[in-house]
Amino acid sequence: MNGSSILKRREASLALIIVMVMAAVGVRAPIFLAPATQLNVLIDTSILFMLVLGQTVVLLTRGIDLSVAANLALTGMIVGLVARAAPGLPIAAVIGLAIAVGLVLGLINGFLVAVVGIPPIVATLGTLAIYRGTIFILDGGAWLTQADMSKAFLHFPNATLLGLPHMVWLAIVVSIAMWVFLNFTRRGRMLYAVGGNPVAARYCGIDLARQQLLVYAISGMIAGLCGYLWVSRYGIAYVELASGYEMTVIAACVIGGVSFSGGIGTVPGALLGGLFLGIIANALPVIGVSPFWQMAISGFVILTAVIVNARTDKPASKIILSEAKRAAVGPR
Amino acid sequence: MTIEPMVDSNEPPVLALSGVCKRFPGMTVLQGVGFTLRRGEVTALIGENGAGKSTLVKILTGIYGLDEGEICVGGQSVHFASARAAWAAGITAIHQEPVMFDELSVAENVFMGHMSVTGAGLVDWRGMQDRTNEILHLLEAGFSATTPLKLLGVAEKHLVEIARALSHDSRVVIMDEPTAALSTREVDDLIRIVGRLKAQGRAILFISHKFEEIFRIADRWVCLRDGRQVGSGAIADVTSADLVKLMVGRSIGNVFPTRETAVGEPTLQVDGLSNATEFADLSFVLHKGEILGLYGLVGSGRSEALQALFGLSRPTRGVIRIDGKVVAIHSPADAIAAGLAYVPEDRQTQGAVLAFSIVENVTLASLRRHSSGAFLMRDRETATARSVAERFAVKARNLDQALGDLSGGNQQKVVIGKWIATNPRILILDEPTKGIDIGSKAAVHAFMAELTAAGVAIILISSELPEVMGMSDSILVMHEGRVVRRLTRAEATPELIVTAAAGTLESNVA
Amino acid sequence: MSQFSSSPESGAVHAGAATRLRGLLLRWETALVLLLAAAIAVNSVISPYFLDIYNLSDATTNFSEQAIVALPMTLLILVGEIDLSVAAIIAVVSLAIGVCSDQGMAPYGLMLVGLAVGALCGAFNGALVAGLRLPSIVVTIGTMSLFRGIAQVALGDQAITNYAPEFQSFGQGYVVSWPPVPNSFALFLGLALVFGVVLHRTRYGRALYAIGNNAVAARFSGLNVARTRFVLFVMSGLLCGLASVLLTARIGSTRPNIATGWELSIVTMVVLGGVSFEGGKGTIPGVVLAIFILGTITWGLSLVNFAGIEISVVIGAILIVTIAAPLVLKRLARRFASGSS
């Protein structure tokens, strides 16, 4: 309705590629297409889906959040420590705490970028180091294991509701919320304006700093939520948890057609980018390819995506000649 | 005009300015500007480039604050702290170069910043699109609310901007050279729309260089020159000659240096230079000591053509000869080696490195000459910069001052100096006096005369009529990417040039 | 009419801002010198071992390889680009060296292979960025995965470890035995000198500043912007090759996760050195000072038994504070100026 046909075409072709990859894998190993395997892919990718959406809103404003994985790990550790100290804490409170901690960490980024004026890449590079180091300072480098966590704490993400694990439900809820936010709220549409043309956005009376605070807050909240999910799903929390995962998240955004120069990116595109990486990760072992291929493949796909996106994004040259004008108008 | 809106003379003016002043570091750009806009009237704001029109627009739309004076809307004194405040007061502007969101739909471009929401707090897409389509229908636009903006041409983007103004239900609509990039037919459409806005009782401030349009559409006029208001009145009481005289403020002959037009042998021959979409069949011969004026409206392809000549883009066809020999120019470096120099139109983004000192800017295009091996020779650089600064009387504290700290005129002198430091035989000047003060302007003109006397050939691109006519030995007029008229200095009259440039003269002389 | 006389007041304010800006640029290096002196002073007080010459010499090996890569990174960020694939190039180069070493290639041959493979990787980045005009941040995020992925595919969970002692001496040896200057540190100092001279004394350096400040004006002035970008990426790859040779020789093994996360520490060095992501601003002396500061702090904290991860907190904080301080000061100054007028 509001997305351009080009964007839609881009998402459709990514979806097509994903289907083709799945079909190819399915031919070699039919078990991959079994509902149980597919559900597993979804569960496995749920956290990535959510993080990719958080990163997307940041990228829309020409920002970047390199601290997502560190935020996730720190929040996970804090939640784990609190849950160990208070095993009776209801799970809703645990989740609320995770979101709150993530929000605070996100707002620190937002403050540095929007209020102090530090370039996003520098600010989040710094907080990346600080957040991760704080984990060590909190627990002296010790690990939290399943033994430190209550049953309820560990059980929640995998428990099912209507046949789907909570984790998948959360990813669905976050996706829908983000889709509604980006497409049906004024503030969501303003993000596109701010990233697409900051000068014009100012002419429209949009306050850039407020938008920046908002996107880092969103990214932080999502990272916080994912922190709890990651720790509880894998039953472990330690300093290096999800180390370097920010690059996977960013890679998924690139593949999903979210532009680093701001103003371009959709929820379906970002989700497809995440799905693509999730499928590759899960398909390789199934067809007997070493999982060590995963990174090289994602690198190759990122480069392909960048080149393809750049081709479609290239601005048409100015049309001055009247005959050229006719030619350009004609086929449209 | 067939439509006569009801105008109550007792009603306070929609917008009234008095004593408006605006200063920038080193320059007063507006001083003592005061006029009123009334319901259902079109007021033409005229003036040369650099007269302060754009600054005035930015003040009226809340982008700049004003240093002195008062703005009253509907009789109430107002102070715009932001673009939003100006909207709220019912003022919107349609900018010369549309500032919009290419990736978003037309409806969003129209409603960005004031989208309507449903009861649930969600964006009311339906309502917004319906409203946009209504407005577009009113404007007889050939596209719909859901069209992505990037698929639209310049004229269509202007319609979107007009639609935006209407969506605000603005009482005052400012149009900053809305017709600059439009074809004749598109201009007719626009003028019809302006007529309709007028009939709805809106006040319109219409900025244009084209007298034909002004006389078709405007009721009143205000003229600015060098930041001062030099006159205003009813359009019925003036002729275009009166307005030209007011705008320029002098008769053309005596402000430009008199030059011996001792034109030498041909030095640059361009034959059939073309590219796919911007310009076609540009051919001319430039002689030593000659100034060739290239006149055309913004967007007529003149800069694009000469940038291709300078190696900044690849022409698809055409032969370039210098001193009779065919030269291949694939990059600016090739062009410089062939003896060409190009002073670009946009000083801030293309000409100057604002963070660099005067010395560093002056030697940028001739670094090799200012080094020994790879090493820069500071003494040599300083000597060149000093000679440029003295020759042009550049006003600066010292040669190490950053260019960004100088006034526009002095920046331009340094940028021209950068090209003189390459010892060019052929100098292309693209709007060399745009937006600079009179003193610097005169210095640039005097310098052009001095260069041609020394045998340098100059191509002068300008949309300032007196400049083209006062400086050039011969004039090419471009329209829609083609040369539509060739005139000698003796033949040239303002009417001939303007009509050819506006494309009203369809006979293709080229 | 004179431009300045019409409004002497605002003209003076503007000129004042420029002087202040220049002063600030000067002060950045001054601030770094002070920071370095403070770090050294604190370190020598808290640990009696800090000023020991062998300890110091040892300390340099911990940052020299990264510091070598920081030099071309400085130039890249200066012209508004970035190379996030540096650590991955180091991994690929190490792999190439390892494979050739297993084939029995001589140590100097290995060094050449390292430089060549590095330059090739850099040329690949450069072709994508300068040739296809793609944004370097995205391109090098892609090649970061691609290069590291190639190392992972080739090595799996294996490692190549049987390097000849002669080769290992590249990374472990000293140029002179007293004072003990390690090879890598000497190479870094030499390269820093070359980069400093090129950037601050030659027309190539001037061209880089011009491109970083205003790439369009640089192109209009006849500079070949695309070729410059390409060359810088090749340079980055080449020095990653050198760093990889030194690192592989020093630790005597090639693993797929070699040099993981280095891109971020290298970027930190450059940014702390005063090089701005907006382009056109920064100096080699600034970056060298920043490298010494980071090296000193890291070494000092590790002497008093701080864990690596705790040190990174300190470095992250220093990064943010040093970037934020001038911004905050500028804002306060502006607020003060407008409040008093």
PDB file of all heavy atoms in Angstrom, chain A residues 25-52:
ATOM      1  N   VAL A  25      17.593 -28.137  -0.710  1.00  0.00           N
ATOM      2  CA  VAL A  25      17.978 -28.906   0.473  1.00  0.00           C
ATOM      3  C   VAL A  25      17.017 -30.079   0.655  1.00  0.00           C
ATOM      4  O   VAL A  25      17.432 -31.203   0.955  1.00  0.00           O
ATOM      5  CB  VAL A  25      17.989 -28.005   1.729  1.00  0.00           C
ATOM      6  CG1 VAL A  25      18.237 -28.836   2.978  1.00  0.00           C
ATOM      7  CG2 VAL A  25      19.053 -26.935   1.587  1.00  0.00           C
ATOM      8  N   GLY A  26      15.729 -29.798   0.422  1.00  0.00           N
ATOM      9  CA  GLY A  26      14.713 -30.831   0.578  1.00  0.00           C
ATOM     10  C   GLY A  26      14.919 -32.004  -0.367  1.00  0.00           C
ATOM     11  O   GLY A  26      14.638 -33.159  -0.016  1.00  0.00           O
ATOM     12  N   VAL A  27      15.404 -31.751  -1.555  1.00  0.00           N
ATOM     13  CA  VAL A  27      15.664 -32.826  -2.516  1.00  0.00           C
ATOM     14  C   VAL A  27      16.759 -33.745  -1.981  1.00  0.00           C
ATOM     15  O   VAL A  27      16.655 -34.964  -2.020  1.00  0.00           O
ATOM     16  CB  VAL A  27      16.067 -32.243  -3.888  1.00  0.00           C
ATOM     17  CG1 VAL A  27      16.610 -33.336  -4.802  1.00  0.00           C
ATOM     18  CG2 VAL A  27      14.870 -31.560  -4.525  1.00  0.00           C
ATOM     19  N   ARG A  28      17.803 -33.132  -1.447  1.00  0.00           N
ATOM     20  CA  ARG A  28      18.911 -33.942  -0.922  1.00  0.00           C
ATOM     21  C   ARG A  28      18.519 -34.627   0.382  1.00  0.00           C
ATOM     22  O   ARG A  28      18.922 -35.751   0.645  1.00  0.00           O
ATOM     23  CB  ARG A  28      20.147 -33.061  -0.672  1.00  0.00           C
ATOM     24  CG  ARG A  28      20.792 -32.605  -1.944  1.00  0.00           C
ATOM     25  CD  ARG A  28      22.210 -33.098  -2.202  1.00  0.00           C
ATOM     26  NE  ARG A  28      22.949 -33.747  -1.126  1.00  0.00           N
ATOM     27  CZ  ARG A  28      24.167 -33.408  -0.775  1.00  0.00           C
ATOM     28  NH1 ARG A  28      24.766 -32.399  -1.367  1.00  0.00           N
ATOM     29  NH2 ARG A  28      24.800 -34.082   0.158  1.00  0.00           N
ATOM     30  N   ALA A  29      17.767 -33.894   1.224  1.00  0.00           N
ATOM     31  CA  ALA A  29      17.400 -34.444   2.525  1.00  0.00           C
ATOM     32  C   ALA A  29      15.961 -34.075   2.834  1.00  0.00           C
ATOM     33  O   ALA A  29      15.698 -33.027   3.424  1.00  0.00           O
ATOM     34  CB  ALA A  29      18.342 -33.909   3.600  1.00  0.00           C
ATOM     35  N   PRO A  30      15.009 -34.931   2.408  1.00  0.00           N
ATOM     36  CA  PRO A  30      13.573 -34.604   2.551  1.00  0.00           C
ATOM     37  C   PRO A  30      13.192 -34.283   3.988  1.00  0.00           C
ATOM     38  O   PRO A  30      12.257 -33.526   4.214  1.00  0.00           O
ATOM     39  CB  PRO A  30      12.881 -35.891   2.073  1.00  0.00           C
ATOM     40  CG  PRO A  30      13.886 -36.570   1.211  1.00  0.00           C
ATOM     41  CD  PRO A  30      15.240 -36.214   1.743  1.00  0.00           C
ATOM     42  N   ILE A  31      13.954 -34.806   4.937  1.00  0.00           N
ATOM     43  CA  ILE A  31      13.589 -34.569   6.336  1.00  0.00           C
ATOM     44  C   ILE A  31      13.601 -33.086   6.677  1.00  0.00           C
ATOM     45  O   ILE A  31      12.883 -32.622   7.561  1.00  0.00           O
ATOM     46  CB  ILE A  31      14.539 -35.331   7.280  1.00  0.00           C
ATOM     47  CG1 ILE A  31      14.104 -35.143   8.747  1.00  0.00           C
ATOM     48  CG2 ILE A  31      15.977 -34.825   7.156  1.00  0.00           C
ATOM     49  CD1 ILE A  31      14.276 -36.353   9.570  1.00  0.00           C
ATOM     50  N   PHE A  32      14.393 -32.329   5.894  1.00  0.00           N
ATOM     51  CA  PHE A  32      14.495 -30.895   6.159  1.00  0.00           C
ATOM     52  C   PHE A  32      13.145 -30.210   6.019  1.00  0.00           C
ATOM     53  O   PHE A  32      12.877 -29.210   6.668  1.00  0.00           O
ATOM     54  CB  PHE A  32      15.519 -30.260   5.218  1.00  0.00           C
ATOM     55  CG  PHE A  32      15.776 -28.810   5.515  1.00  0.00           C
ATOM     56  CD1 PHE A  32      16.474 -28.432   6.652  1.00  0.00           C
ATOM     57  CD2 PHE A  32      15.303 -27.816   4.672  1.00  0.00           C
ATOM     58  CE1 PHE A  32      16.692 -27.104   6.941  1.00  0.00           C
ATOM     59  CE2 PHE A  32      15.522 -26.481   4.958  1.00  0.00           C
ATOM     60  CZ  PHE A  32      16.222 -26.117   6.094  1.00  0.00           C
ATOM     61  N   LEU A  33      12.326 -30.734   5.118  1.00  0.00           N
ATOM     62  CA  LEU A  33      11.031 -30.093   4.871  1.00  0.00           C
ATOM     63  C   LEU A  33       9.953 -30.574   5.827  1.00  0.00           C
ATOM     64  O   LEU A  33       8.833 -30.070   5.809  1.00  0.00           O
ATOM     65  CB  LEU A  33      10.602 -30.316   3.421  1.00  0.00           C
ATOM     66  CG  LEU A  33      11.546 -29.694   2.386  1.00  0.00           C
ATOM     67  CD1 LEU A  33      11.054 -29.971   0.970  1.00  0.00           C
ATOM     68  CD2 LEU A  33      11.683 -28.200   2.606  1.00  0.00           C
ATOM     69  N   ALA A  34      10.295 -31.546   6.676  1.00  0.00           N
ATOM     70  CA  ALA A  34       9.303 -32.041   7.633  1.00  0.00           C
ATOM     71  C   ALA A  34       8.913 -30.932   8.582  1.00  0.00           C
ATOM     72  O   ALA A  34       9.753 -30.108   8.946  1.00  0.00           O
ATOM     73  CB  ALA A  34       9.888 -33.223   8.406  1.00  0.00           C
ATOM     74  N   PRO A  35       7.618 -30.883   8.988  1.00  0.00           N
ATOM     75  CA  PRO A  35       7.160 -29.797   9.866  1.00  0.00           C
ATOM     76  C   PRO A  35       8.015 -29.670  11.121  1.00  0.00           C
ATOM     77  O   PRO A  35       8.304 -28.545  11.558  1.00  0.00           O
ATOM     78  CB  PRO A  35       5.734 -30.206  10.219  1.00  0.00           C
ATOM     79  CG  PRO A  35       5.317 -31.098   9.101  1.00  0.00           C
ATOM     80  CD  PRO A  35       6.540 -31.788   8.594  1.00  0.00           C
ATOM     81  N   ALA A  36       8.433 -30.802  11.678  1.00  0.00           N
ATOM     82  CA  ALA A  36       9.205 -30.735  12.918  1.00  0.00           C
ATOM     83  C   ALA A  36      10.517 -29.995  12.690  1.00  0.00           C
ATOM     84  O   ALA A  36      10.921 -29.152  13.496  1.00  0.00           O
ATOM     85  CB  ALA A  36       9.483 -32.144  13.437  1.00  0.00           C
ATOM     86  N   THR A  37      11.198 -30.294  11.578  1.00  0.00           N
ATOM     87  CA  THR A  37      12.461 -29.615  11.276  1.00  0.00           C
ATOM     88  C   THR A  37      12.211 -28.136  11.049  1.00  0.00           C
ATOM     89  O   THR A  37      12.952 -27.282  11.537  1.00  0.00           O
ATOM     90  CB  THR A  37      13.108 -30.214  10.009  1.00  0.00           C
ATOM     91  OG1 THR A  37      12.871 -31.606   9.995  1.00  0.00           O
ATOM     92  CG2 THR A  37      14.597 -29.913   9.976  1.00  0.00           C
ATOM     93  N   GLN A  38      11.158 -27.845  10.303  1.00  0.00           N
ATOM     94  CA  GLN A  38      10.852 -26.452  10.001  1.00  0.00           C
ATOM     95  C   GLN A  38      10.546 -25.662  11.272  1.00  0.00           C
ATOM     96  O   GLN A  38      10.980 -24.534  11.426  1.00  0.00           O
ATOM     97  CB  GLN A  38       9.657 -26.374   9.044  1.00  0.00           C
ATOM     98  CG  GLN A  38      10.005 -26.821   7.622  1.00  0.00           C
ATOM     99  CD  GLN A  38      11.090 -25.954   7.024  1.00  0.00           C
ATOM    100  OE1 GLN A  38      10.983 -24.753   6.962  1.00  0.00           O
ATOM    101  NE2 GLN A  38      12.189 -26.584   6.591  1.00  0.00           N
ATOM    102  N   LEU A  39       9.809 -26.335  12.183  1.00  0.00           N
ATOM    103  CA  LEU A  39       9.505 -25.674  13.444  1.00  0.00           C
ATOM    104  C   LEU A  39      10.804 -25.377  14.195  1.00  0.00           C
ATOM    105  O   LEU A  39      10.981 -24.316  14.784  1.00  0.00           O
ATOM    106  CB  LEU A  39       8.590 -26.564  14.292  1.00  0.00           C
ATOM    107  CG  LEU A  39       8.182 -25.956  15.654  1.00  0.00           C
ATOM    108  CD1 LEU A  39       7.386 -24.683  15.453  1.00  0.00           C
ATOM    109  CD2 LEU A  39       7.405 -26.953  16.483  1.00  0.00           C
ATOM    110  N   ASN A  40      11.709 -26.340  14.100  1.00  0.00           N
ATOM    111  CA  ASN A  40      12.991 -26.164  14.768  1.00  0.00           C
ATOM    112  C   ASN A  40      13.756 -24.964  14.208  1.00  0.00           C
ATOM    113  O   ASN A  40      14.396 -24.228  14.937  1.00  0.00           O
ATOM    114  CB  ASN A  40      13.808 -27.440  14.603  1.00  0.00           C
ATOM    115  CG  ASN A  40      14.606 -27.709  15.844  1.00  0.00           C
ATOM    116  OD1 ASN A  40      14.118 -27.490  16.955  1.00  0.00           O
ATOM    117  ND2 ASN A  40      15.833 -28.136  15.667  1.00  0.00           N
ATOM    118  N   VAL A  41      13.689 -24.814  12.888  1.00  0.00           N
ATOM    119  CA  VAL A  41      14.339 -23.658  12.252  1.00  0.00           C
ATOM    120  C   VAL A  41      13.745 -22.377  12.828  1.00  0.00           C
ATOM    121  O   VAL A  41      14.464 -21.451  13.200  1.00  0.00           O
ATOM    122  CB  VAL A  41      14.148 -23.691  10.721  1.00  0.00           C
ATOM    123  CG1 VAL A  41      14.643 -22.391  10.098  1.00  0.00           C
ATOM    124  CG2 VAL A  41      14.861 -24.885  10.119  1.00  0.00           C
ATOM    125  N   LEU A  42      12.428 -22.367  12.939  1.00  0.00           N
ATOM    126  CA  LEU A  42      11.748 -21.179  13.460  1.00  0.00           C
ATOM    127  C   LEU A  42      12.180 -20.875  14.883  1.00  0.00           C
ATOM    128  O   LEU A  42      12.489 -19.726  15.223  1.00  0.00           O
ATOM    129  CB  LEU A  42      10.228 -21.390  13.439  1.00  0.00           C
ATOM    130  CG  LEU A  42       9.483 -20.956  12.191  1.00  0.00           C
ATOM    131  CD1 LEU A  42       7.977 -21.026  12.448  1.00  0.00           C
ATOM    132  CD2 LEU A  42       9.874 -19.530  11.812  1.00  0.00           C
ATOM    133  N   ILE A  43      12.193 -21.928  15.715  1.00  0.00           N
ATOM    134  CA  ILE A  43      12.580 -21.730  17.111  1.00  0.00           C
ATOM    135  C   ILE A  43      14.001 -21.181  17.170  1.00  0.00           C
ATOM    136  O   ILE A  43      14.302 -20.223  17.876  1.00  0.00           O
ATOM    137  CB  ILE A  43      12.497 -23.063  17.887  1.00  0.00           C
ATOM    138  CG1 ILE A  43      11.053 -23.567  17.907  1.00  0.00           C
ATOM    139  CG2 ILE A  43      13.025 -22.898  19.317  1.00  0.00           C
ATOM    140  CD1 ILE A  43      10.910 -24.963  18.454  1.00  0.00           C
ATOM    141  N   ASP A  44      14.847 -21.807  16.369  1.00  0.00           N
ATOM    142  CA  ASP A  44      16.257 -21.457  16.356  1.00  0.00           C
ATOM    143  C   ASP A  44      16.499 -20.030  15.897  1.00  0.00           C
ATOM    144  O   ASP A  44      17.480 -19.398  16.271  1.00  0.00           O
ATOM    145  CB  ASP A  44      16.961 -22.414  15.388  1.00  0.00           C
ATOM    146  CG  ASP A  44      18.153 -23.039  16.048  1.00  0.00           C
ATOM    147  OD1 ASP A  44      18.027 -23.406  17.226  1.00  0.00           O
ATOM    148  OD2 ASP A  44      19.201 -23.129  15.388  1.00  0.00           O
ATOM    149  N   THR A  45      15.620 -19.536  15.048  1.00  0.00           N
ATOM    150  CA  THR A  45      15.831 -18.230  14.443  1.00  0.00           C
ATOM    151  C   THR A  45      15.040 -17.125  15.154  1.00  0.00           C
ATOM    152  O   THR A  45      15.196 -15.951  14.845  1.00  0.00           O
ATOM    153  CB  THR A  45      15.441 -18.277  12.947  1.00  0.00           C
ATOM    154  OG1 THR A  45      15.864 -19.532  12.419  1.00  0.00           O
ATOM    155  CG2 THR A  45      16.136 -17.205  12.143  1.00  0.00           C
ATOM    156  N   SER A  46      14.202 -17.508  16.118  1.00  0.00           N
ATOM    157  CA  SER A  46      13.312 -16.531  16.754  1.00  0.00           C
ATOM    158  C   SER A  46      14.077 -15.332  17.303  1.00  0.00           C
ATOM    159  O   SER A  46      13.700 -14.176  17.097  1.00  0.00           O
ATOM    160  CB  SER A  46      12.549 -17.180  17.911  1.00  0.00           C
ATOM    161  OG  SER A  46      11.682 -18.150  17.395  1.00  0.00           O
ATOM    162  N   ILE A  47      15.176 -15.621  18.012  1.00  0.00           N
ATOM    163  CA  ILE A  47      15.940 -14.530  18.620  1.00  0.00           C
ATOM    164  C   ILE A  47      16.509 -13.622  17.530  1.00  0.00           C
ATOM    165  O   ILE A  47      16.437 -12.393  17.627  1.00  0.00           O
ATOM    166  CB  ILE A  47      17.058 -15.106  19.517  1.00  0.00           C
ATOM    167  CG1 ILE A  47      16.420 -15.723  20.765  1.00  0.00           C
ATOM    168  CG2 ILE A  47      18.075 -14.027  19.887  1.00  0.00           C
ATOM    169  CD1 ILE A  47      17.407 -16.359  21.709  1.00  0.00           C
ATOM    170  N   LEU A  48      17.030 -14.251  16.468  1.00  0.00           N
ATOM    171  CA  LEU A  48      17.593 -13.462  15.368  1.00  0.00           C
ATOM    172  C   LEU A  48      16.513 -12.562  14.758  1.00  0.00           C
ATOM    173  O   LEU A  48      16.758 -11.380  14.490  1.00  0.00           O
ATOM    174  CB  LEU A  48      18.193 -14.387  14.303  1.00  0.00           C
ATOM    175  CG  LEU A  48      18.869 -13.692  13.128  1.00  0.00           C
ATOM    176  CD1 LEU A  48      20.017 -12.806  13.586  1.00  0.00           C
ATOM    177  CD2 LEU A  48      19.395 -14.713  12.116  1.00  0.00           C
ATOM    178  N   PHE A  49      15.310 -13.115  14.555  1.00  0.00           N
ATOM    179  CA  PHE A  49      14.216 -12.318  13.988  1.00  0.00           C
ATOM    180  C   PHE A  49      14.019 -11.023  14.785  1.00  0.00           C
ATOM    181  O   PHE A  49      13.949  -9.935  14.241  1.00  0.00           O
ATOM    182  CB  PHE A  49      12.896 -13.102  14.029  1.00  0.00           C
ATOM    183  CG  PHE A  49      12.775 -14.146  12.956  1.00  0.00           C
ATOM    184  CD1 PHE A  49      12.157 -15.366  13.221  1.00  0.00           C
ATOM    185  CD2 PHE A  49      13.270 -13.918  11.682  1.00  0.00           C
ATOM    186  CE1 PHE A  49      12.032 -16.341  12.235  1.00  0.00           C
ATOM    187  CE2 PHE A  49      13.147 -14.883  10.699  1.00  0.00           C
ATOM    188  CZ  PHE A  49      12.531 -16.100  10.972  1.00  0.00           C
ATOM    189  N   MET A  50      13.945 -11.208  16.093  1.00  0.00           N
ATOM    190  CA  MET A  50      13.653 -10.031  16.922  1.00  0.00           C
ATOM    191  C   MET A  50      14.800  -9.025  16.881  1.00  0.00           C
ATOM    192  O   MET A  50      14.595  -7.822  16.734  1.00  0.00           O
ATOM    193  CB  MET A  50      13.380 -10.474  18.365  1.00  0.00           C
ATOM    194  CG  MET A  50      12.054 -11.206  18.491  1.00  0.00           C
ATOM    195  SD  MET A  50      11.665 -11.627  20.207  1.00  0.00           S
ATOM    196  CE  MET A  50      12.207 -13.318  20.285  1.00  0.00           C
ATOM    197  N   LEU A  51      16.037  -9.543  16.994  1.00  0.00           N
ATOM    198  CA  LEU A  51      17.184  -8.626  16.987  1.00  0.00           C
ATOM    199  C   LEU A  51      17.289  -7.883  15.658  1.00  0.00           C
ATOM    200  O   LEU A  51      17.634  -6.703  15.613  1.00  0.00           O
ATOM    201  CB  LEU A  51      18.476  -9.408  17.251  1.00  0.00           C
ATOM    202  CG  LEU A  51      18.623  -9.989  18.665  1.00  0.00           C
ATOM    203  CD1 LEU A  51      19.863 -10.861  18.744  1.00  0.00           C
ATOM    204  CD2 LEU A  51      18.681  -8.880  19.703  1.00  0.00           C
ATOM    205  N   VAL A  52      16.988  -8.592  14.573  1.00  0.00           N
ATOM    206  CA  VAL A  52      17.064  -7.966  13.253  1.00  0.00           C
ATOM    207  C   VAL A  52      16.071  -6.803  13.173  1.00  0.00           C
ATOM    208  O   VAL A  52      16.387  -5.738  12.644  1.00  0.00           O
ATOM    209  CB  VAL A  52      16.791  -9.005  12.145  1.00  0.00           C
ATOM    210  CG1 VAL A  52      16.500  -8.332  10.826  1.00  0.00           C
ATOM    211  CG2 VAL A  52      17.982  -9.942  12.010  1.00  0.00           C
TER     212      VAL A  52
END
